[in-house]
Amino acid sequence: MSFLIGIDALGIDQPGGARTAVFFLLNELFRQSPELNFIIYLSKEELAYNSYANVSQVILPYKKGLLSRIKAQVFFFFETYNKKFDLFHFTKSQGSFTFSKRKIITIFDLTILHNTTQFSTIDVLFWKYIQPIFLNHFDEIITISDDAKKDIHKYYNIPEQKIKTIYCSSQFDKHIPKNIELVRKFQEKYNLFEDYLLFLGIISLKKNLSTIVKAYKYLLDNGYNIPKLILAGPYYPQSDGSIIFDEIKKLGLGKKILYIGKVDQKDLIGLYQGSKLFLMPSTHEGFGIPILEALQCEVPVIASNSASIPEVLGQAGVLVDDFLNPLAWAKEIIGLLNDNQKCIS
């Protein structure tokens, strides 16, 4: 009898770091393990997985929200009892009691416990009091950085030997030399025929975009001729950071700071390589996949010296120690822009 693995990947159709991490990890797992059988539970069909004969997709009607998640947990309780899985993996941080022989869960980060005021009360209560009950049920916990591992041990008192760090990969499988054609296609599609600074990520409170906007305003007010700032990425209702657009308007930066929303995957290389700098101002990250992607696309990176970010960036970019201070960001931005200009001239 073949080994049967169940995978809860509900919600990976939503753009963001979790999708990148889970989608490509599973794609590689399915490719390398033709001798195993998988049942993957999704919110939306993934066409890329249809090419694997050993993978069955089950589409469930459970979307976002606490009630929907409770329904999913009840479903998995009975589903694992009926299917008799050898292994079940919850890939998106929220688990359920199961009857599988072995049970693992991936926790991306504990940002919600670091920044409780940025999330709803009910979400905070879940992560404080319900999540540890689930976690003690699992045989092993996977996380995506040593910083996140320390947090899981700290907040939930789970033995470190039960937690395994597996770093994320980007969606690009190698270093990508400058591709002028992809940059040109991106510029034509988004009407951006000039240099720009770039932020790419979900528009959430933890991204600390207000600090970047204030740094940008400071540079303009002090006579620096800097490129436009492009913000790209989807809204994040669980911790909505869209108030930043009101701030941009109030500061009179509507023509200098542009929001282009969610970017198609096929346009990402052009987006990265058309930028002068990539900015990651987050106050907390479990990993920070866009850092890897920017570096692979030969784009200089400035990022907050916070949580897992120095673990990911290392010596490959600039870390801002005082990452809540707009002046600290302004100094690093103009310094790196000037260094790049010297390299070109």
Side-chain angles (χ1 to χ4, degrees):
M1 185 175 178
S2 59
F3 201 84
L4 180 61
I5 300 174
I7 299 173
D8 169 18
L10 294 173
I12 69 162
D13 55 301
Q14 299 300 312
R19 171 173 173 76
T20 300
V22 175
F23 176 86
F24 290 98
L25 171 66
L26 294 181
N27 197 57
E28 191 65 16
L29 174 65
F30 299 153
R31 187 186 71 81
Q32 293 191 26
S33 309
E35 76 284 2
L36 303 177
N37 288 322
F38 299 90
I39 300 177
I40 180 170
Y41 299 88
L42 298 157
S43 305
K44 183 179 179 181
E45 182 183 13
E46 294 288 352
L47 297 179
Y49 295 161
N50 287 336
S51 60
Y52 300 105
N54 60 329
V55 177
S56 298
Q57 298 188 50
V58 177
I59 311 304
L60 298 177
Y62 309 125
K63 304 297 182 182
K64 295 179 181 178
L66 179 62
L67 181 59
S68 187
R69 190 63 218 181
I70 290 173
K71 291 179 180 178
Q73 288 165 346
V74 173
F75 171 84
F76 286 124
F77 181 83
F78 289 104
E79 180 77 347
T80 56
Y81 177 81
N82 292 325
K83 290 288 195 302
K84 303 294 189 295
F85 290 101
D86 296 286
L87 173 68
F88 202 95
H89 182 189
F90 290 88
T91 65
K92 287 289 298 296
S93 296
Q94 294 185 7
S96 171
F97 294 114
T98 71
F99 288 95
S100 57
K101 294 178 183 176
R102 287 189 63 80
K103 302 163 282 292
I104 60 176
I105 186 171
T106 296
I107 302 292
F108 286 95
D109 61 65
L110 295 184
T111 298
I112 192 169
L113 298 183
H114 277 270
N115 302 308
T116 56
T117 60
Q118 296 180 358
F119 296 85
S120 71
T121 301
I122 196 164
D123 285 339
V124 172
L125 291 175
F126 175 89
W127 280 86
K128 273 189 175 182
Y129 302 111
I130 306 300
Q131 185 74 309
I133 297 174
F134 283 131
L135 294 186
N136 284 317
H137 169 68
F138 286 89
D139 299 299
E140 188 168 276
I141 298 167
I142 296 172
T143 193
I144 57 177
S145 65
D146 286 339
D147 184 77
K149 179 178 179 177
K150 291 175 184 176
D151 279 348
I152 294 169
H153 173 67
K154 171 187 172 182
Y155 282 100
Y156 297 139
N157 199 30
I158 291 174
E160 290 192 356
Q161 60 268 27
K162 189 178 177 178
I163 311 166
K164 184 172 184 179
T165 300
I166 299 178
Y167 288 124
C168 295
S169 177
S170 85
Q171 56 196 295
F172 309 138
D173 59 1
K174 58 184 177 181
H175 164 255
I176 305 170
K178 186 80 174 235
N179 188 319
I180 300 300
E181 181 62 20
L182 289 178
V183 172
R184 184 188 63 79
K185 287 181 178 179
F186 173 80
Q187 289 174 333
E188 289 179 350
K189 182 173 181 178
Y190 291 88
N191 197 30
L192 294 170
F193 297 96
E194 56 186 290
D195 293 333
Y196 53 87
L197 313 180
L198 174 64
F199 163 84
L200 172 64
I202 57 174
I203 307 301
S204 69
L205 294 173
K206 77 171 185 178
K207 297 299 183 178
N208 191 27
L209 293 175
S210 178
T211 298
I212 291 298
V213 168
K214 290 173 183 174
Y216 193 89
K217 174 68 171 173
Y218 172 84
L219 290 171
L220 286 181
D221 288 348
N222 283 272
Y224 291 100
N225 183 24
I226 59 174
K228 289 182 177 178
L229 172 60
I230 302 300
L231 308 179
Y235 286 96
Y236 188 67
Q238 293 94 320
S239 180
D240 185 8
S242 61
I243 192 174
I244 190 63
F245 303 121
D246 293 332
E247 186 169 356
I248 290 170
K249 185 177 180 180
K250 186 182 298 183
L251 293 173
L253 298 174
K255 293 184 178 180
K256 295 291 289 183
I257 301 180
L258 307 179
Y259 175 59
I260 62 173
K262 175 188 171 185
V263 177
D264 291 339
Q265 184 182 351
K266 65 179 183 297
D267 296 327
L268 285 178
I269 294 175
L271 170 66
Y272 279 117
Q273 294 192 334
S275 65
K276 298 287 287 183
L277 299 177
F278 180 76
L279 308 176
M280 175 67 86
S282 300
T283 58
H284 194 272
E285 292 286 344
F287 189 82
I289 291 176
I291 293 172
L292 293 185
E293 294 174 344
L295 293 174
Q296 285 178 291
C297 290
E298 300 183 337
V299 180
V301 174
I302 306 177
S304 299
N305 190 6
S306 174
S308 68
I309 294 174
E311 191 177 338
V312 177
L313 183 59
Q315 302 296 313
V318 175
L319 290 169
V320 181
D321 293 328
D322 193 6
F323 53 83
L324 295 177
N325 183 349
L327 295 184
W329 279 91
K331 176 183 176 182
E332 299 297 353
I333 289 170
I334 202 63
L336 200 49
L337 284 174
N338 287 340
D339 284 347
N340 287 348
Q341 190 61 40
K342 290 176 185 177
C343 292
I344 294 170
S345 58

